[in-house]
């Protein structure tokens, strides 16, 4: 992939020229609503558990992992979420990752989520960079940011990823104001750019 075949945000990278939706209809059930996750306080201490859907509905603080995946040419994996996602459906993201399951560590979740969303096995363990508390009105979650090099052929889950491509940093920067991004991922990416300036 050149990083340019999806620059209009509509062409897929699944090899058949479609949108990459994989039959992901609007009437399909949301994903993972019943998954049990840890609920945490403002200091990232576990204070209980909840079904994922209920945590979203009630604005319960939880934990998420964000993994920036680069290919052998140092391009960044960018994708559009499917319409079935419980939160931020059909928006673009420059991270793979997701919510930690109950009792799962950030490191465990980072590797699991990266392999699941990229559709690979044997990925190197993602490198932890920093954590921050994301807050957006009633929504709040502790967020651990990682990076990983993926030199394997990717086969993203069609249930999770509607479109994907690898973009250079310049290509990504050019699309930040043009495409509709998940707000937590955009916040994490901006923090990552600042973090790099200090490291």
């Amino acid at each position: 992939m050149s990083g340019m075949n999806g620059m209009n945000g509509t062409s897929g990278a699944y090899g058949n020229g479609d949108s990459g939706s994989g039959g992901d209809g609007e009437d399909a059930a949301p994903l993972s609503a019943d998954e049990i996750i840890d609920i945490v306080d403002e200091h990232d201490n576990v204070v209980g558990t909840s079904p994922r859907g209920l945590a979203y509905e009630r604005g319960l603080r939880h934990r998420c992992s964000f993994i920036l995946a680069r290919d052998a040419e140092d391009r960044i994996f960018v994708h559009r979420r499917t319409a079935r996602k419980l939160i931020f459906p059909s928006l673009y993201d420059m991270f793979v990752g997701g919510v930690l399951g109950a009792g799962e560590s950030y490191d465990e979740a980072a590797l699991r989520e990266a392999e699941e969303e990229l559709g690979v096995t044997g990925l190197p363990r993602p490198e932890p960079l920093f954590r921050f508390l994301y807050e957006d009105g009633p929504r709040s979650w502790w967020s651990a940011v990682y990076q990983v090099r993926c030199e394997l052929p990717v086969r993203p889950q069609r249930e999770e990823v509607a479109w994907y491509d690898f973009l250079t940093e310049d290509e990504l920067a050019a699309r930040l104001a043009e495409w509709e991004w998940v707000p937590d991922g955009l916040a994490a990416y901006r923090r990552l750019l600042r973090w790099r300036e200090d490291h």
Side-chain angles (χ1 to χ4, degrees):
M1 290 172 290
S2 67
M4 295 300 293
N5 64 338
M7 291 305 285
N8 63 4
T10 57
S11 59
Y14 284 97
N16 59 3
D18 64 13
S19 64
S21 65
D24 178 52
E26 291 291 340
D27 58 345
L31 296 173
S32 306
D34 296 327
E35 176 186 3
I36 302 301
I37 64 173
D38 284 330
I39 304 303
V40 298
D41 63 16
E42 65 273 20
H43 304 295
D44 202 17
N45 299 310
V46 176
V47 295
T49 59
S50 170
R52 183 172 178 174
L54 187 62
Y56 288 166
E57 180 182 336
R58 296 185 176 177
L60 302 178
R61 187 181 293 110
H62 49 279
R63 290 170 167 171
C64 293
S65 62
F66 294 73
I67 307 95
L68 192 81
R70 295 178 180 271
D71 67 3
E73 298 177 35
D74 211 34
R75 298 173 301 180
I76 298 168
F77 179 84
V78 176
H79 68 283
R80 188 175 71 245
R81 296 159 64 86
T82 60
R84 295 175 60 193
K85 300 291 282 187
L86 278 175
I87 190 169
F88 308 139
S90 302
L91 300 188
Y92 289 90
D93 201 349
M94 65 285 287
F95 292 94
V96 295
V99 176
L100 275 64
E104 189 174 32
S105 72
Y106 283 109
D107 288 353
E108 290 169 341
L111 180 59
R112 173 182 60 80
E113 290 280 3
E115 289 192 333
E116 286 179 0
E117 290 198 27
L118 294 172
V120 301
T121 57
L123 195 68
R125 186 169 295 279
E127 175 190 359
L129 302 178
F130 60 88
R131 297 181 190 177
F132 72 100
L133 177 60
Y134 174 77
E135 295 182 291
D136 179 16
R139 295 170 173 163
S140 175
W141 43 87
W142 273 98
S143 308
V145 178
Y146 293 77
Q147 63 183 5
V148 71
R149 179 79 60 186
C150 179
E151 300 184 358
L152 302 166
V154 299
R155 298 177 179 84
Q157 292 179 312
R158 294 195 174 199
E159 298 84 3
E160 302 277 346
V161 175
W163 170 94
Y164 71 94
D165 208 346
F166 283 93
L167 306 183
T168 67
E169 288 200 11
D170 287 343
E171 289 169 347
L172 174 55
R175 294 304 180 268
L176 291 181
E178 296 181 8
W179 293 355
E180 190 173 4
W181 299 88
V182 294
D184 59 341
L186 187 57
Y189 188 67
R190 286 171 173 162
R191 284 177 178 265
L192 176 59
L193 295 179
R194 294 195 298 269
W195 180 88
R196 284 181 183 162
E197 293 177 357
D198 298 331
H199 294 79

